[in-house]
Amino acid sequence: MMIEQQLMAAARQAVKELYGQEVPEKMVQLQKTRSEFEGNLTLVVFPFVKMARKNPEQTGQELGQYMVDHCKAVSRFNVVKGFLNLTISDEAWLQLLANIDATPHYGEKAADEQSALVMIEYSSPNTNKPLHLGHVRNNLLGWSLAQIMQANGYRVVKTNIVNDRGIHICKSMLAWQKWGNGETPESSGKKGDHLIGDYYVAFDKHYREEVKQLMAQGMDEEQAKQEAPLIKEAHAMLVKWEQGDAEVRALWEKMNSWVYAGFDETYRKMGVSFDKIYYESQTYLKGKAKVEEGLAKGLFERHDDGSVWADLTNEGLDQKLLLRSDGTSVYMTQDIGTAEMRYEDYPIDKMIYVVGNEQNYHFQVLSILLDRLGFKWGKELTHFSYGMVELPNGKMKSREGTVVDADDLMELMVSDAYKTSMELGKFDDMTEEERQDIARIVGMGALKYFILKVDARKNMLFNPEESIDFNGNTGPFIQYTYARIRSILRKVTKAPEGKTLPTIALAEKEVELIQKMSEYGAAVQQAGKDYSPSGIANYCYELTKVFNQFYHDYSILNEPDMQKRETRLIIARNVAKILKNGMSLLGIEVPERM
């Protein structure tokens, strides 16, 4: 039984025997003892004062004495006002350490066939450009959330919806037709997604030039934007695509295949993947059919121009367009179609969409519409809404080609990690192959940790230089501590057994480490409840700090007392295990040496 559970059971028994009252578990409030007071865990006494008919101090004294007499885990106590501070016995801490040591994934739950199925959608790229820094945050949050939900005992399906149709795609296709001269990824030496992105930028450049010329001829800006020959051609191409024109479809398939090959490479480098990928080109017709079905049931209404709308005024919202007057679909229609396909493919209990906070309203509406259409998880769908990532020099615009490309960013992070490690002398005794691998692990760890340690709901400023620091709240600081522990353990010829630990007097910092390790399960649970990878990142940082303070004050390998030495080795081994498991929930690898 966990220490907290033992204390809760003892506290309830104490109230029953001393004051003749049965109290529910939720009434027993335990918290970590504040650092200025003696003790490890604190029981809040106030809820029991009326039952005791005594003041808080007297009540605390009686409960404390009962717990020392009847609960082996408690060695002594003190009372400060209405707070009972309990000091846990070394024997109880050592028993807890043995339990941690015996459990490979201590603090995590495994799913079974009865576990709820959660589907998590993330990435959602457009096939007209490569992935950028905003996508990096999206993918890292989505992947990490999937790992955290699994560690909380859910079955998880990771999914992606690719926006592979629409006017933005036609812009790249048209630009390639006009100015591409048959260029391919092979002939240019460029990744396919980068190549297509270049043509998207080229379209915008020529289009803006046309708009400028029309405005010089006396048109206002809005009219010029609609009358520019290029945009008219792009719209005509979109109509042909919708009609299934063979030539347009063949070009679309060819260019998309280049993009997908590029995306796959980026996802692989980023360390993310999906169980199922959906494509808007396959879901939008299903969405249209679902909207027509809703129309027939009187859930939606058709206006005089033929467009279809959902009236959401009863829900305090406005009217929402679902089909345009020409019958073409909008994003909402596509999301309804995708939901329908997913529901056919999987018995989903919960759906989580990882999408930026500019789409908050969209998901509020989608939830209402899916509920109206009879999806059991519609009302409960979760929009995991996150803030934008900005750089020290401002926002990004893909049309103007000013985005920070995901591939370039990852390459920069790995080369910075290589350079920093060389300068610090960490690579001195390694082969070039080892150096490259560790630079990849550290560079990607720095990027992922820097992004995931920030509360997802907040906008953030990404600073590559700051993220590579080997000190402070960074990925490399935690990775380096893990590698240091592994180095200590490699020097031990025989690994100590943790099953039956000898009862020894523990130092304060040893107790602090065992207590911090024991909090991992609560951190995992809270991160799952709040959908918060930052909770795991901050836990790993806190555990790393506590270990480094311990390591600074106490020797492990040079400890002359063999029982103390073995206990410290077991503590170190389990700190490394929990750091590896925790960082894995963030999608971060930890190197065996550094």
Side-chain angles (χ1 to χ4, degrees):
M1 199 190 280
M2 296 285 290
I3 288 171
E4 282 89 344
Q5 290 169 321
Q6 290 179 53
L7 298 187
M8 286 175 97
R12 290 172 73 198
Q13 193 61 33
V15 173
K16 186 181 175 182
E17 291 199 18
L18 293 171
Y19 313 127
Q21 298 271 356
E22 292 269 3
V23 293
E25 204 172 88
K26 63 180 179 187
M27 206 168 170
V28 183
Q29 297 169 44
L30 273 178
Q31 55 200 37
K32 203 170 174 178
T33 304
R34 283 165 54 178
S35 56
E36 63 265 37
F37 300 118
E38 188 199 346
N40 307 114
L41 289 161
T42 297
L43 177 71
V44 182
V45 173
F46 298 109
F48 315 116
V49 170
K50 264 189 186 171
M51 301 171 193
R53 295 183 182 153
K54 289 172 184 158
N55 68 32
E57 281 84 353
Q58 286 173 302
T59 309
Q61 287 291 341
E62 288 183 355
L63 290 172
Q65 194 55 56
Y66 181 93
M67 291 177 82
V68 165
D69 295 342
H70 296 86
C71 179
K72 275 186 181 176
V74 182
S75 62
R76 59 186 183 277
F77 72 93
N78 65 84
V79 180
V80 180
K81 294 179 180 168
F83 298 95
L84 169 59
N85 302 320
L86 303 165
T87 298
I88 307 306
S89 67
D90 288 341
E91 194 183 345
W93 286 126
L94 289 162
Q95 183 54 56
L96 176 59
L97 178 61
N99 291 347
I100 294 170
D101 192 54
T103 315
H105 281 271
Y106 174 82
E108 299 178 14
K109 283 183 200 160
D112 58 37
E113 285 174 18
Q114 306 307 311
S115 302
L117 179 69
V118 178
M119 181 177 273
I120 301 175
E121 176 196 290
Y122 57 98
S123 202
S124 313
N126 291 331
T127 55
N128 63 320
K129 55 193 175 189
L131 303 177
H132 56 63
L133 178 54
H135 289 114
V136 172
R137 190 177 199 190
N138 179 300
N139 279 286
L140 297 183
L141 285 169
W143 175 266
S144 178
L145 185 60
Q147 309 313 306
I148 289 166
M149 295 307 276
Q150 274 179 323
N152 275 287
Y154 291 94
R155 290 179 299 141
V156 174
V157 175
K158 302 185 293 292
T159 183
N160 183 358
I161 174 75
V162 178
N163 299 305
D164 64 341
R165 61 176 282 278
I167 191 69
H168 52 291
I169 313 292
C170 292
K171 287 176 181 179
S172 295
M173 287 163 63
L174 188 62
W176 184 84
Q177 269 186 339
K178 286 182 176 294
W179 306 296
N181 298 318
E183 189 179 26
T184 65
E186 290 73 26
S187 71
S188 65
K190 287 180 185 172
K191 275 178 83 227
D193 50 337
H194 287 234
L195 181 69
I196 302 306
D198 290 347
Y199 285 104
Y200 184 62
V201 173
F203 177 94
D204 192 62
K205 189 178 139 200
H206 286 89
Y207 172 55
R208 280 191 288 166
E209 198 52 53
E210 286 184 353
V211 169
K212 210 160 119 189
Q213 284 170 10
L214 291 172
M215 284 170 72
Q217 292 164 25
M219 271 191 201
D220 66 52
E221 190 179 358
E222 207 44 55
Q223 193 186 0
K225 281 180 174 175
Q226 287 169 13
E227 294 299 323
L230 266 176
I231 201 72
K232 285 187 164 179
E233 278 188 80
H235 276 293
M237 184 181 264
L238 180 58
V239 170
K240 280 185 173 180
W241 184 92
E242 295 244 347
Q243 291 167 346
D245 181 277
E247 198 180 320
V248 170
R249 286 285 178 128
L251 175 63
W252 171 75
E253 281 177 10
K254 176 168 75 175
M255 290 176 74
N256 272 355
S257 72
W258 296 345
V259 173
Y260 297 145
F263 283 172
D264 286 347
E265 201 179 314
T266 306
Y267 289 138
R268 187 177 48 75
K269 280 184 193 163
M270 211 182 284
V272 304
S273 61
F274 309 93
D275 300 309
K276 177 87 177 180
I277 297 180
Y278 293 88
Y279 299 89
E280 191 188 335
S281 57
Q282 294 163 6
T283 66
Y284 82 106
L285 289 174
K286 209 156 187 100
K288 284 167 83 167
K290 201 75 187 158
V291 169
E292 294 286 357
E293 188 188 304
L295 187 66
K297 288 178 181 171
L299 301 173
F300 309 131
E301 54 193 46
R302 195 185 290 282
H303 286 192
D304 293 343
D305 63 355
S307 58
V308 176
W309 296 73
D311 184 355
L312 305 173
T313 48
N314 285 346
E315 280 87 355
L317 304 172
D318 56 8
Q319 299 220 340
K320 182 69 188 170
L321 176 67
L322 298 179
L323 289 175
R324 296 189 190 95
S325 55
D326 61 3
T328 55
S329 61
V330 292
Y331 267 120
M332 191 62 73
T333 330
Q334 168 235 298
D335 274 347
I336 291 169
T338 309
E340 169 84 343
M341 281 183 88
R342 287 170 174 165
Y343 201 65
E344 288 168 2
D345 292 343
Y346 298 96
I348 304 167
D349 295 299
K350 186 160 191 63
M351 180 76 215
I352 303 172
Y353 294 86
V354 180
V355 183
N357 56 15
E358 75 279 9
Q359 295 290 337
N360 286 354
Y361 178 73
H362 176 90
F363 285 99
Q364 197 182 348
V365 171
L366 181 63
S367 176
I368 294 166
L369 295 180
L370 291 177
D371 184 52
R372 265 192 206 180
L373 288 164
F375 292 93
K376 67 169 182 172
W377 47 264
K379 210 173 219 163
E380 305 298 312
L381 79 76
T382 298
H383 172 206
F384 178 12
S385 167
Y386 63 90
M388 296 297 100
V389 191
E390 290 173 13
L391 290 155
N393 58 2
K395 288 188 179 175
M396 309 178 288
K397 292 188 179 72
S398 49
R399 281 193 309 279
E400 293 164 23
T402 61
V403 300
V404 175
D405 179 81
D407 293 312
D408 292 346
L409 177 63
M410 290 191 286
E411 205 175 299
L412 170 76
M413 295 300 294
V414 173
S415 69
D416 277 3
Y418 188 96
K419 203 170 99 189
T420 306
S421 299
M422 283 297 270
E423 284 166 4
L424 294 171
K426 294 187 185 296
F427 280 171
D428 290 354
D429 59 343
M430 293 185 194
T431 65
E432 186 54 29
E433 194 182 341
E434 279 181 302
R435 290 172 182 175
Q436 295 288 352
D437 192 45
I438 289 169
R440 176 190 64 77
I441 291 171
V442 173
M444 290 305 297
L447 170 66
K448 292 178 179 185
Y449 187 86
F450 198 90
I451 283 176
L452 293 173
K453 74 175 180 180
V454 178
D455 179 350
R457 290 170 296 242
K458 294 178 179 169
N459 286 355
M460 68 168 291
L461 196 67
F462 178 69
N463 187 328
E465 286 168 26
E466 223 179 284
S467 70
I468 286 285
D469 199 339
F470 279 74
N471 296 302
N473 190 2
T474 65
F477 172 64
I478 297 167
Q479 289 172 319
Y480 183 60
T481 299
Y482 174 84
R484 171 188 267 171
I485 296 172
R486 297 299 297 159
S487 167
I488 293 166
L489 296 173
R490 277 195 297 274
K491 291 172 184 163
V492 180
T493 46
K494 185 177 176 289
E497 292 275 337
K499 287 168 195 159
T500 49
L501 283 160
T503 302
I504 58 164
L506 290 169
E508 191 186 333
K509 289 242 169 54
E510 291 169 327
V511 168
E512 199 183 340
L513 257 180
I514 299 168
Q515 186 166 9
K516 182 49 85 174
M517 283 192 276
S518 77
E519 291 164 15
Y520 177 61
V524 170
Q525 217 176 337
Q526 199 59 47
K529 204 168 146 191
D530 299 342
Y531 306 131
S532 175
S534 64
I536 298 295
N538 292 325
Y539 171 82
C540 289
Y541 175 56
E542 291 299 322
L543 178 60
T544 303
K545 276 199 305 185
V546 175
F547 176 81
N548 281 313
Q549 286 161 4
F550 158 77
Y551 187 67
H552 178 269
D553 292 355
Y554 297 95
S555 173
I556 297 178
L557 294 177
N558 295 326
E559 170 54 55
D561 183 319
M562 287 312 288
Q563 289 188 331
K564 281 186 180 179
R565 181 177 182 267
E566 292 224 337
T567 302
R568 285 175 192 170
L569 281 167
I570 292 166
I571 289 172
R573 178 168 77 201
N574 285 283
V575 168
K577 174 178 81 181
I578 289 173
L579 284 180
K580 185 175 187 172
N581 292 345
M583 292 293 265
S584 170
L585 297 185
L586 304 175
I588 298 173
E589 294 174 69
V590 283
E592 289 298 304
R593 53 190 298 224
M594 225 167 128

